[in-house]
């Protein structure tokens, strides 16, 4: 597609008084450049202010450059490091003795975590992964006395017959194939952004079922930074939606309004500063497909807002500073028949580039 710059004149608003006065004393070209410079400067200042807002929150809530960690930050580091081992164990031919650094770091993080918070699911997944790592080593004649000691100190191996929650799991192709939708194209083609809903309530069990499905979304080192805030009460929905600019004419018909967020405490480095939007966006897409699979209608609602709107909505909705809002989602039952926007897709050749 052409990258030519287009000047929009036909739809420009009527000339302001100030501009009209300037146009009497300045040549048209000079005035145009002046206005352009003024607009660009205002945009740069607004971008810098909003960028600083994001930066301040990332500095405050991510664990980048921090020694003192919250439980969520420490749990994210435990997860990151046990998952490094899970990934290694999931290779076709893991290298015996791989990941010594990750093992050492995981053991020290687990010591810190368990001392403060005990053995919860996160710690258990870490311990089970150490156990799987040790078992893999043994099959190659390697002993890891420091891992033996850590497992013993952290509470020991799983009791016989209790399934582990870390390490690897066996999967077979036939099971994956059997679970595929009968008509994959139709499943994708029948998901539309829905802007008219039936009156019936969507119950919380259905939302919970969809969220559970969406929890299968991949995330960076399995950190799962996402959260879903659900609003059902008419007044609450109205207030939350009043900060969003794309729901006019249908937001009030949604049975549930979801606000998808990403908790910055899951991110650990400067390089991960944009990861919250990526993982949160992937999760939101899964959630929409999960709701679609359950026969519900959804419309994603952008959260492309400036910091003042973000702050005001989060205060109203009770969403804390450590959570970045990814988007809202309107959810409702489908009417028997409805219209949806055509939303033409680009030709495949524009999207799919074979190298
Ligand atoms: C992040 C995101 C934000 C969106 N925000 C809005 C919105 O505020 N209002 C709206 O009516 N639709 C919104 N949409 C829906 C898009 O307009 C729609 O997905 C697109 O036109 C494709 O149509 P389809 O979803 O029906 O396939 C949004 C979609 C995405 C992915």
């Amino acid at each position: 597609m052409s990258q030519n710059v287009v000047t929009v004149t036909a739809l420009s608003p009527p000339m302001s008084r100030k501009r009209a006065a300037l146009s009497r004393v300045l040549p048209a070209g000079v005035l145009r450049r002046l206005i352009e410079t003024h607009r660009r400067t205002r945009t740069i200042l607004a971008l810098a202010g909003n960028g600083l807002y994001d930066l301040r929150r990332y500095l405050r809530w991510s664990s980048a450059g921090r020694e003192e960690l919250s439980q969520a930050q420490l749990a994210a580091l435990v997860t990151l490091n046990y998952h490094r081992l899970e990934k290694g164990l999931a290779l076709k031919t893991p290298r015996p003795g791989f990941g010594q650094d990750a093992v050492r770091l995981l053991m020290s993080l687990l010591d810190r975590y368990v001392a403060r918070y005990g053995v919860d699911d996160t710690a258990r997944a870490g311990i089970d992964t150490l156990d799987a790592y040790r078992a893999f080593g043994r099959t190659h004649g390697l002993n890891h006395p420091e891992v033996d000691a850590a497992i013993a100190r952290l509470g020991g191996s799983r009791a016989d017959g209790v399934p582990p929650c870390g390490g690897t799991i066996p999967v077979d192709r036939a099971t994956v194939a059997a679970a595929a939708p009968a008509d994959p194209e139709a499943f994708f083609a029948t998901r539309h952004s829905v802007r008219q809903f039936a009156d019936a309530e969507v119950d919380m069990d259905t939302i919970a079922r969809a969220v559970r499905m969406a929890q299968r979304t991949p995330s960076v080192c399995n950190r799962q930074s996402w959260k879903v805030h659900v609003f059902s009460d008419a007044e609450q929905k109205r207030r939350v939606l009043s900060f969003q600019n794309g729901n006019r004419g249908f937001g009030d018909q949604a049975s549930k309004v979801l606000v998808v967020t990403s908790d910055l405490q899951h991110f650990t480095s400067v390089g991960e500063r944009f990861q919250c939007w990526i993982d949160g966006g992937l999760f939101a897409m899964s959630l929409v497909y999960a709701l679609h699979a359950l026969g519900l209608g959804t419309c994603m609602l952008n959260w492309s807002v400036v910091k003042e709107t973000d702050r005001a909505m989060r205060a109203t909705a009770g969403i804390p500073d450590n959570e970045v809002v990814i988007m809202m989602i309107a959810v409702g039952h489908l009417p028997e028949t409805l219209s949806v926007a055509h939303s033409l897709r680009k030709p495949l050749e524009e999207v799919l580039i074979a190298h």
Side-chain angles (χ1 to χ4, degrees):
M1 193 170 279
S2 155
Q3 298 259 313
N4 290 344
V5 175
V6 176
T7 310
V8 180
T9 47
L11 295 176
S12 296
M15 203 185 273
S16 73
R17 245 193 257 152
K18 213 188 282 174
R19 186 172 166 179
L22 282 171
S23 73
R24 272 183 240 114
V25 289
L26 290 175
V30 174
L31 180 58
R32 232 191 345 263
R33 274 200 300 281
L34 203 67
I35 291 169
E36 174 74 358
T37 307
H38 176 67
R39 281 198 192 131
R40 294 286 295 163
T41 309
R42 260 198 347 213
T43 304
I44 290 166
L45 288 176
L47 263 178
N50 281 274
L52 274 176
Y53 173 70
D54 295 336
L55 180 114
R56 182 191 65 76
R57 293 173 69 204
Y58 195 76
L59 262 179
R60 173 143 191 227
W61 295 110
S62 76
S63 59
R66 273 184 190 280
E67 188 49 40
E68 268 313 302
L69 302 175
S70 67
Q71 182 172 5
Q73 289 168 333
L74 196 49
L77 283 167
V78 168
T79 305
L80 188 167
N81 283 287
Y82 80 66
H83 193 60
R84 284 167 73 188
L85 297 179
E86 286 185 322
K87 288 190 284 190
L89 290 167
L91 295 177
K92 191 172 185 178
T93 47
R95 183 174 54 78
F98 77 93
Q100 306 269 340
D101 287 349
V103 170
R104 266 192 297 275
L105 187 51
L106 174 60
M107 291 188 303
S108 89
L109 287 165
L110 278 171
D111 280 335
R112 243 169 111 178
Y113 190 88
V114 171
R116 279 200 224 163
Y117 310 111
V119 179
D120 61 5
D121 283 357
T122 301
R124 198 64 247 179
I127 300 162
D128 288 353
T129 303
L130 285 177
D131 217 351
Y133 179 84
R134 171 170 71 170
F136 168 74
R138 280 182 183 153
T139 62
H140 289 83
L142 293 176
N143 283 316
H144 300 288
E146 68 295 4
V147 177
D148 296 339
I151 292 172
R153 164 170 92 235
L154 292 164
S157 297
R158 290 274 185 180
D160 277 348
V162 180
C165 64
T168 60
I169 50 173
V171 170
D172 63 87
R173 190 162 57 181
T175 309
V176 175
D183 187 343
E185 276 79 5
F187 179 74
F188 279 82
T190 53
R191 198 245 4 117
H192 303 282
S193 289
V194 170
R195 299 179 181 90
Q196 41 184 303
F197 298 106
D199 274 343
E201 279 284 300
V202 174
D203 59 63
M204 268 310 284
D205 288 349
T206 308
I207 298 289
R209 187 174 168 202
V211 171
R212 205 170 292 122
M213 285 194 255
Q215 283 188 275
R216 303 310 309 178
T217 303
S219 62
V220 63
C221 289
N222 197 30
R223 271 173 274 164
Q224 307 165 61
S225 62
W226 44 68
K227 292 187 194 293
V228 186
H229 297 262
V230 185
F231 298 91
S232 311
D233 171 75
E235 178 54 18
Q236 269 191 331
K237 285 188 289 186
R238 189 196 62 73
R239 284 185 12 198
V240 168
L241 286 177
S242 70
F243 296 98
Q244 202 276 337
N245 64 6
N247 69 89
R248 197 172 307 154
F250 68 94
D252 58 330
Q253 297 166 29
S255 169
K256 296 274 187 282
V257 172
L258 313 181
V259 180
V260 176
T261 68
S262 240
D263 181 351
L264 290 172
Q265 294 179 98
H266 292 81
F267 303 106
T268 62
S269 65
V270 173
E272 287 184 341
R273 68 197 179 282
F274 299 126
Q275 202 61 45
C276 62
W277 287 288
I278 294 165
D279 289 10
L282 289 169
F283 175 80
M285 186 73 258
S286 293
L287 182 54
V288 160
Y289 272 120
L291 291 161
H292 172 55
L294 297 176
L296 293 168
T298 60
C299 188
M300 288 181 164
L301 301 171
N302 77 82
W303 195 239
S304 311
V305 297
V306 291
K307 60 186 190 316
E308 292 78 10
T309 314
D310 186 66
R311 262 201 210 106
M313 191 282 279
R314 284 192 298 99
T316 298
I319 296 171
D321 192 48
N322 51 298
E323 291 180 37
V324 168
V325 176
I326 306 300
M327 68 173 72
M328 298 184 187
I329 303 174
V331 186
H333 284 284
L334 292 170
E336 285 303 320
T337 59
L338 68 156
S339 296
V340 295
H342 198 305
S343 299
L344 175 71
R345 284 345 196 234
K346 293 178 178 180
L348 185 66
E349 311 80 75
E350 261 189 47
V351 177
L352 178 64
I353 301 119
H355 289 265

